[in-house]
Every structure is written in C-alpha cells, then in structure tokens.
C-alpha cells in the first residue's frame, strides 16, 4: 500500500486556496501511485485562527467544504483524510474525515483530547475514541494530534485490529520531541503503521515544526520530511504488522484486568 502525507504551509482562513492546493496535491499523490492522501489537522481552514473565526467557518459533514473534498477525491481516484471545524448539534468539533477514492465518506472522527485553551476555547470534545474504516481491505483508524500523546488511544486501535493509524496534527515548536520520540514509540508499542502529518509555517504566535513522518510497527521511520512543504510518499509492507506482533507479543501479553 502506498500512501502520501501532505506537509502543508499554513494558509490562515483561506479556504478556497486550501481547496485549490488540496486538488493539486491530490493529483500529484495519485500520479505517484498513492491510494491515500493524509493532510494536517484542520487542513481546510487552518488550526490556530481563533474561536470566533472557526465558528464562522464551521460546517456540517455534508457542507460545501466536505462536498468539495469528496469531488477532489473522486476526480483523482484517491482517498483523502482532511480536517475542518465540524458544526453539529450547536457544537463545533475539531474533526477529521476520511473519504474513499469515489468520494464517499468512510469515517469521521472528532478530536477527543483537547489541547489547552487553543482547543478548549474553540471546540467541544469528541466522545468516541475508536473510529475505524476499511480502506482497500486495510483496517485504518483516525486520531488527531494531541490524542497520540495518550498511549491508551493508540493501544485501543491496536487491540481493535487497526493496522494503519492516521494522525493529522498541528505540532508546534518546541515540542519536536513528540514527532521524533513519542510517535515512533507509539507505533512500536502498539505495533502498527502510523502516519503523522503536520503543518509548516506559522499562525499567529505558533510556529509549526513539520517533521511529518510515516513510522512502521518496528518504530522505524519509513518516510519523512523535516521542513518545507511537500508530499511524503511511503510504501507500507503490511505483513510487518503481523511479524512485529509475533516477535514482540505486547498485545498477547497484556493483562488489562490489572489496569483499571
């Protein structure tokens, strides 16, 4: 399975520009043979743009932004994970949506662990921890940014059978160690592939640190990019998941009755 991660430059609140760029990157990724394109956290609107502006831009999952992404996916024959402020029931959620190569929605995840005032002032927390779908026969899951810093979130996916975990993020400096240390550790301890996709550039006082990477179940970086905008292409040998789980039997050796 070949996937692409788009390390994008922050374009504050410029939704039309974000969609134009997404169309171009989706075409590039499909041309390169990728079956999936993963984009950063809140990729259609920008992340740190203020609670008022996020609420102004918020749309439901069948709104124009999501419809535009579905059309881009269908036109290029590639599955896409994108982020946007989801309006639902009067609340606004930090959401990531997976559409398949025909543009049909496969899954939508709402960020469960909210990061500081940036998130809590703008979003309601999601209340579903485990969101998964099948993509080309591969069980994939979605979490967002700060969620990956909770080992329970990733382990729950591993126990459920997720083999590829997609993590749109907005990681800023000086927390580079999250991408460099925690992300490989999460992939290794839960023995799955993890696609961690970040921004570059700045929004307000935040400076995003890039470091987009795809990490294998052995904790090694399959492909990555430190800085600058561009696609990260990664070929995933999914048999490595079974091999890792056979060689280091973390999942079989768990004693969950002791952890409550």
């Amino acid at each position: 399975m070949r996937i692409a991660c788009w390390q994008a430059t922050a374009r504050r609140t410029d939704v039309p520009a974000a969609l134009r760029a997404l169309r171009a990157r989706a075409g590039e990724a499909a041309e390169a043979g990728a079956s999936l394109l993963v984009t950063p956290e809140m990729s259609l609107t920008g992340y740190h743009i203020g609670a008022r502006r996020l609420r102004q831009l918020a749309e439901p999952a069948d709104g124009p932004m999501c419809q535009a992404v579905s059309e881009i996916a269908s036109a290029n024959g590639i599955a896409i994970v994108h982020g946007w402020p989801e309006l639902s029931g009067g609340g606004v959620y930090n959401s990531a949506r997976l559409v398949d190569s025909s543009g049909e929605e496969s899954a939508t995840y709402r960020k469960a662990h909210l990061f500081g005032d940036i998130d809590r002032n703008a979003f309601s927390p999601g209340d579903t921890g485990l969101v998964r779908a099948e993509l080309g026969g591969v069980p994939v899951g979605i979490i967002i940014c700060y969620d990956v810093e909770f080992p329970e979130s990733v382990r729950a996916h591993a126990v459920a059978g997720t083999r590829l975990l997609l993590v749109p993020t907005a990681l800023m400096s000086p927390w580079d160690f999250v991408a460099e240390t925690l992300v490989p550790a999460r992939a290794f301890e839960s023995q799955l592939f993890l696609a961690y996709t970040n921004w570059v550039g700045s929004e307000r006082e935040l400076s995003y640190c890039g470091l987009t990477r795809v990490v294998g179940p052995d904790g090694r970086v399959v492909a990555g990019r430190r800085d600058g905008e561009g696609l990260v292409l990664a070929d995933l040998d999914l048999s490595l998941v079974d091999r890792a789980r056979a060689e280091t039997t973390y999942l079989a050796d768990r004693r969950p009755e002791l952890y409550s």
Side-chain angles (χ1 to χ4, degrees):
M1 182 181 190
R2 172 169 283 192
I3 68 171
C5 299
W6 176 26
Q7 183 162 284
T9 301
R11 298 171 177 85
R12 189 174 168 201
T13 73
D14 194 340
V15 176
L19 287 168
R20 288 193 299 270
L22 176 61
R23 184 179 298 276
R25 298 297 86 76
E28 291 175 11
E31 182 68 22
S35 59
L36 168 67
L37 174 63
V38 187
T39 70
E41 182 176 7
M42 300 293 292
S43 56
L44 298 186
T45 60
Y47 170 63
H48 188 38
I49 62 174
R52 178 179 297 179
R53 185 60 175 143
L54 283 166
R55 180 164 285 277
Q56 290 172 343
L57 292 171
E59 293 180 359
D62 59 356
M65 281 190 286
C66 289
Q67 291 179 1
V69 176
S70 290
E71 188 275 326
I72 291 169
S74 176
N76 290 281
I78 189 170
I80 297 175
V81 174
H82 72 90
W84 91 109
E86 181 191 5
L87 182 64
S88 178
V92 176
Y93 297 89
N94 183 333
S95 294
R97 175 173 172 264
L98 169 64
V99 296
D100 65 20
S101 59
S102 68
E104 292 295 316
E105 181 178 322
S106 296
T108 294
Y109 171 77
R110 295 170 175 173
K111 189 175 184 180
H113 301 90
L114 299 184
F115 177 74
D117 290 341
I118 293 175
D119 272 345
R120 286 192 285 268
N121 289 340
F123 302 112
S124 299
D127 58 7
T128 302
L130 198 63
V131 171
R132 304 168 67 240
E134 290 267 328
L135 191 63
V138 178
V140 301
I142 309 171
I143 58 176
I144 299 173
C145 196
Y146 191 43
D147 290 322
V148 82
E149 298 177 42
F150 294 81
E152 303 91 338
S153 292
V154 182
R155 179 54 59 81
H157 273 280
V159 171
T162 297
R163 301 171 79 82
L164 170 60
L165 187 58
L166 311 174
V167 190
T169 192
L171 182 68
M172 66 288 290
S173 296
W175 289 284
D176 305 39
F177 71 90
V178 172
E180 295 173 332
T181 301
L182 288 188
V183 167
R186 293 292 173 266
F188 178 79
E189 69 194 6
S190 285
Q191 299 164 317
L192 41 66
F193 282 97
L194 199 156
Y196 188 79
T197 308
N198 197 19
W199 294 99
V200 289
S202 300
E203 284 178 329
R204 295 186 171 184
E205 76 280 8
L206 299 187
S207 179
Y208 299 116
C209 59
L211 294 169
T212 291
R213 54 200 43 216
V214 179
V215 183
D218 55 3
R220 297 178 180 176
V221 177
V222 177
R225 186 182 187 99
R226 172 164 287 278
D227 49 32
E229 177 161 347
L231 293 180
V232 173
L233 294 168
D235 291 310
L236 311 185
D237 178 358
L238 293 161
S239 70
L240 293 178
V241 174
D242 295 323
R243 192 180 314 168
R245 292 178 181 182
E247 290 176 352
T248 308
T249 54
Y250 288 139
L251 299 185
D253 295 341
R254 292 170 65 250
R255 298 184 63 192
E257 71 276 8
L258 302 181
Y259 308 149
S260 63

